[in-house]
Amino acid sequence: MPLTFKIATRNLLRNKKRTLITLSALVFNCAMLIALFAMMRYWIEQSITNITSLAIGQVQIHAPEYREDRSLYKSIDNPEEYLAIAKKENISASPRSYGYGLASIDTKSAGAQYWGIDPLKERQTFRFAEYILEGDFFNDKIQSQVVIGRKLARSLNANIGSELIAVVQAADGSMGNEIYRVGGILQTISEEMDRSAVIMHQKDFEELFSSAGRIHEIALNSKNKLTSTQVAEEFNVAAKKVEIKTWEQLLPTLADMLRVSRSAMYVFSFIFFIAVGFGVLNTMLMATHDRIREYGMLKALGTKPWRIIMDVCSEAFVLSACAAILGSLAGVFLCFLLDTYGIDLSSMGGSMRMSGIAFDPVLRSDLKPVDIVFTVIATSACCVLASLFPAIKAARLSPIKAMQKH
Amino acid sequence: MTANTTTIIETRAACKFFGEGESLVKAVNDVDLRIETGEFTAIAGPSGSGKSTLLNIISGLDHVTSGKIFMNGAEVTQYTDKELANLRLKHIGFVFQNFNLLPVLTAYENAEYILMLRGMPENERRDKVMAVLDKLGIADKAKNFPSQLSGGQQQRVAIARAIAANPTVVLADEPTANLDSKTAASLVEMMAELNEKEGITFLFSSHDPRILDCSKRVLVLTDGAISDDQKNN
Ligand SMILES: Nc1ncnc2c1ncn2[C@@H]1O[C@H](COP(=O)(O)OP(=O)(O)O)[C@@H](O)[C@H]1O
Ligand SMILES: [Mg+2]
């Protein structure tokens, strides 16, 4: 072992209590950061998965200007063309029709957004069919049934089996008027769906709205094969005829927030490291102060200042290396605990909803090697940097003055 | 060989003053001095007479107020701090009164330290250090840390470190001051023997008369000036 590291290690062992306290702080910091990074990644990935695989999808196609007024008449021309592209590129696609009207059960009524969906395609493309609170999502055969949002169900006093009367203005100007059975109540997916979604079979929708096969939205999901931008690019040929938007464009606030979350984490860890740096600075200042006569003696012998700087910095480095090893192990263990048990934020009364999108309230971890590498490197760099000031101070001592200190 | 080539240390009108005005202390006052190869010279004088200060300006640990100091013919009073550090590393062996050894290094490692700084390969270092420790009778203490050694043994390790690197001169500032008289006497005997057998030049300070008796030459300092220069034997 090079003498510098021998000196560093033995110096650390001289004041075991001081070393242990600093080491614990460093280990704690490492472990917390690793766990936080992993938790943050899980949360971000989970959020994106929720968005792209629940109801919104990676990319949505609408008729131009549909999103501004959501008019029943602004439907996609020739939707088969896009479904064909999707099929060719192996991207799951779900065509949807939307219309607005009144929904009532007994004496209660509320405004509703009616969805006409193809249950089979919806199941193939998205997972929201699994997000059922009560009852069932329909299969292809069952008609005259609806699945409704949670809050809508509450305000209509709806139960499974309740009869829901839909009153809408149909495409031909007549009044559409039908009775459906409530077959299922959805879990929270988005605020909008919670409050107003009445989802029915495409065929029921066509009858209710006399919409003659009008499709207002095609939601696309490549299921992680492609990025949302890549999916959008596949449909570029049609960009003049329809509006193609990625989820990031549809939910810009949320996309921005998720994007800055990771950088925010780095900023946050930076603050952590400043605190750690001051801790190490303090320890190393005390340590070098205690040994001021030794540094004076070494300088008197002809030891170069850089070697004394090396000695002090090596001490901080050995300390941080131990902390990094122990801290990484502790961090991995924390992540394992998180994965096993999870933190259920809903039990803390937190509503897990942002920009109208619901999120999984159970936090787990998604640890990547980069989290450990970053934490280890940042801890070591921070320790060595913090020791630089005491190191330079020790290196600049006047030998006689230092040796006269008591 | 001319007489000059054997002069290791020369001071010309060397002065070192501390403070100013009323509180001016002339710690070293107009000292002219020559030390030749192979000398075993003691600087004597009561406490406060300037022994440490004189040794410090010779080794470049402190700067002179005026005058010149030469080592091996080079004017070291012109040297930068870096050059002075090199001079100390390459030409001067140090033995201090206390805090000689790094507590975290064993006797062996302490003795090895300067050789390591000088970049000597490890196997050469081992032979050299073990030979020196053996010569000083502390080879069996090689693995001990300073805290496990007596004061006399610690000073021997310091001497081992000082001579292991074959310095031009060993400067020792009251190396025996913290030792009991018997240990002190044996340490000085050992230094004298190294001087006699190995030709190592020693310049040390002391105010212990028994130790001064062993010296070949005694320079007496009074209030910073040399008041006597006696050659024994
Ligand atoms: N750094 C200093 N500042 C002021 N005065 C000093 C300093 N060092 C030494 N002196 C003074 O110089 C004189 C000589 O001191 P010193 O060389 O230590 O004597 P000695 O080693 O013979 O006891 C003393 O009067 C001492 O007080
Ligand atoms: Mg003195």
Side-chain angles (χ1 to χ4, degrees):
Chain A
M1 184 163 48
L3 197 63
T4 303
F5 282 104
K6 222 184 258 179
I7 294 177
T9 314
R10 290 181 192 163
N11 270 332
L12 281 171
L13 293 174
R14 269 165 99 171
N15 194 328
K16 293 201 181 66
K17 198 199 268 172
R18 181 164 66 203
T19 303
L20 208 63
I21 289 172
T22 316
L23 187 70
S24 318
L26 287 171
V27 168
F28 179 78
N29 184 59
C30 273
M32 282 321 264
L33 275 181
I34 288 173
L36 278 174
F37 270 118
M39 211 153 83
M40 199 65 164
R41 171 170 302 99
Y42 174 85
W43 182 75
I44 292 171
E45 297 297 321
Q46 201 60 34
S47 303
I48 294 174
T49 308
N50 275 8
I51 293 164
T52 56
S53 71
L54 277 187
I56 292 172
Q58 288 183 292
V59 169
Q60 290 189 346
I61 298 176
H62 299 105
E65 291 164 31
Y66 171 76
R67 290 197 306 130
E68 274 93 84
D69 60 7
R70 305 206 161 218
S71 151
L72 188 58
Y73 303 106
K74 286 184 181 155
S75 57
I76 300 170
D77 283 337
N78 198 10
E80 288 74 22
E81 185 186 339
Y82 312 112
L83 294 174
I85 297 177
K87 192 161 190 182
K88 193 173 120 246
E89 300 300 335
N90 205 8
I91 297 166
S92 300
S94 196
R96 295 164 181 167
S97 312
Y98 291 114
Y100 296 85
L102 213 61
S104 11
I105 293 174
D106 294 334
T107 56
K108 309 237 174 187
S109 18
Q113 178 187 32
Y114 289 93
W115 295 42
I117 61 155
D118 178 334
L120 194 67
K121 289 214 172 98
E122 206 67 58
R123 272 182 199 277
Q124 283 166 353
T125 316
F126 294 111
R127 297 205 333 253
F128 86 86
E130 300 157 22
Y131 274 62
I132 295 291
L133 197 64
E134 283 175 55
D136 290 308
F137 195 73
F138 19 48
N139 60 41
D140 205 23
K141 296 186 186 72
I142 300 171
Q143 277 182 243
S144 302
Q145 265 204 13
V146 290
V147 171
I148 66 174
R150 195 172 57 93
K151 284 189 182 156
L152 181 67
R154 206 189 304 152
S155 56
L156 294 178
N157 270 341
N159 294 309
I160 302 300
S162 303
E163 287 193 335
L164 182 144
I165 300 165
V167 181
V168 302
Q169 173 148 36
D172 58 5
S174 68
M175 287 294 280
N177 198 332
E178 289 290 342
I179 296 178
Y180 303 93
R181 244 173 44 83
V182 174
I185 295 169
L186 282 173
Q187 283 180 30
T188 300
I189 292 170
S190 74
E191 185 65 19
E192 195 188 11
M193 287 174 82
D194 250 12
R195 248 187 303 109
S196 60
V198 176
I199 302 173
M200 59 179 67
H201 200 289
Q202 192 90 52
K203 286 177 190 143
D204 288 331
F205 186 92
E206 273 173 41
E207 276 168 33
L208 180 63
F209 283 90
S210 311
S211 61
R214 286 174 190 269
I215 296 297
H216 300 98
E217 176 176 290
I218 299 174
L220 301 154
N221 182 13
S222 74
K223 298 185 179 162
N224 292 332
K225 286 195 292 271
L226 301 172
T227 66
S228 55
T229 320
Q230 285 170 329
V231 172
E233 274 163 9
E234 299 292 350
F235 294 86
N236 262 350
V237 283
K240 286 212 182 73
K241 292 178 279 180
V242 287
E243 183 194 72
I244 299 162
K245 295 277 184 206
T246 62
W247 71 264
E248 290 95 335
Q249 292 166 321
L250 295 166
L251 300 165
T253 329
L254 191 59
D256 278 348
M257 207 203 66
L258 292 177
R259 194 149 34 79
V260 299
S261 290
R262 209 180 297 267
S263 354
M265 192 53 214
Y266 284 103
V267 173
F268 178 66
S269 68
F270 182 72
I271 296 166
F272 253 64
F273 280 118
I274 289 180
V276 167
F278 275 105
V280 173
L281 176 68
N282 184 45
T283 308
M284 294 310 293
L285 271 178
M286 287 199 289
T288 50
H289 183 81
D290 287 355
R291 295 179 221 137
I292 195 161
R293 289 182 300 196
E294 291 162 33
Y295 293 118
M297 185 267 290
L298 291 180
K299 277 203 81 179
L301 294 182
T303 307
K304 301 285 186 323
W306 66 263
R307 187 174 275 281
I308 290 175
I309 293 178
M310 284 280 290
D311 281 356
V312 177
C313 289
S314 303
E315 196 173 327
F317 179 75
V318 170
L319 184 68
S320 69
C322 296
I325 293 169
L326 295 174
S328 299
L329 290 176
V332 170
F333 182 66
L334 271 182
C335 289
F336 167 77
L337 287 183
L338 264 174
D339 258 355
T340 315
Y341 300 105
I343 300 177
D344 191 350
L345 294 175
S346 62
S347 67
M348 299 178 193
S351 140
M352 291 307 286
R353 202 166 298 152
M354 262 166 297
S355 292
I357 304 291
F359 293 98
D360 189 349
V362 182
L363 266 182
R364 294 180 195 280
S365 70
D366 180 7
L367 184 64
K368 289 265 164 71
V370 63
D371 302 326
I372 297 175
V373 171
F374 171 81
T375 310
V376 165
I377 291 178
T379 302
S380 311
C382 168
C383 287
V384 173
L385 270 180
S387 68
L388 218 49
F389 171 63
I392 291 171
K393 220 177 134 185
R396 290 172 58 119
L397 286 171
S398 137
I400 331 178
K401 282 195 190 122
M403 286 171 79
Q404 281 165 351
K405 289 259 159 58
H406 289 288
Chain B
M1 257 210 247
T2 65
N4 251 351
T5 54
T6 57
T7 302
I8 300 167
I9 298 164
E10 185 178 353
T11 71
R12 288 189 202 153
C15 294
K16 177 68 186 178
F17 302 157
F18 293 107
E20 45 190 87
E22 289 273 292
S23 57
L24 182 79
V25 178
K26 296 184 173 180
V28 172
N29 195 4
D30 199 21
V31 169
D32 286 296
L33 170 71
R34 265 165 188 264
I35 303 289
E36 315 274 327
T37 345
E39 280 196 24
F40 192 72
T41 302
I43 302 171
S47 185
S49 58
K51 304 183 294 293
S52 298
T53 308
L54 179 59
L55 286 172
N56 286 343
I57 59 174
I58 287 173
S59 62
L61 285 174
D62 214 344
H63 297 285
V64 290
T65 308
S66 65
K68 287 177 179 175
I69 293 169
F70 298 86
M71 187 154 298
N72 290 329
E75 189 187 340
V76 297
T77 28
Q78 301 280 359
Y79 276 17
T80 61
D81 280 353
K82 205 174 160 188
E83 288 169 323
L84 286 171
N86 257 323
L87 175 85
R88 293 199 295 272
L89 182 61
K90 302 232 168 85
H91 295 289
I92 305 175
F94 280 101
V95 181
F96 304 108
Q97 186 176 330
N98 36 31
F99 325 123
N100 260 307
L101 306 176
L102 219 51
V104 290
L105 297 185
T106 61
Y108 175 90
E109 289 160 345
N110 265 293
E112 183 194 22
Y113 190 80
I114 294 196
L115 299 180
M116 191 228 29
L117 289 188
R118 287 213 201 159
M120 185 187 277
E122 187 160 5
N123 51 343
E124 272 180 56
R125 290 206 303 258
R126 192 178 317 120
D127 297 345
K128 184 85 196 176
V129 171
M130 283 320 290
V132 171
L133 289 179
D134 196 41
K135 205 178 290 172
L136 290 172
I138 44 171
D140 57 328
K141 305 286 182 209
K143 290 204 168 79
N144 290 34
F145 286 94
S147 59
Q148 300 163 323
L149 299 174
S150 71
Q153 289 166 334
Q154 287 183 30
Q155 289 305 70
R156 283 182 198 213
V157 176
I159 293 174
R161 179 184 62 197
I163 65 171
N166 296 329
T168 311
V169 60
V170 175
L171 298 183
D173 190 6
E174 307 211 30
T176 59
N178 286 351
L179 304 178
D180 62 78
S181 55
K182 214 175 124 202
T183 317
S186 85
L187 192 82
V188 170
E189 268 165 35
M190 179 152 284
M191 284 161 59
E193 196 181 312
L194 288 166
N195 169 259
E196 202 66 45
K197 287 196 184 145
E198 320 264 331
I200 299 170
T201 314
F202 280 89
L203 177 60
F204 60 99
S205 67
S206 178
H207 56 248
D208 183 339
R210 274 175 301 179
I211 285 164
L212 298 175
D213 286 346
C214 305
S215 316
K216 291 186 197 163
R217 180 183 175 194
V218 178
L219 293 163
V220 182
L221 272 188
T222 312
D223 292 335
I226 294 178
S227 56
D228 197 5
D229 185 352
Q230 331 158 348
K231 294 225 162 69
N232 293 347
N233 62 353

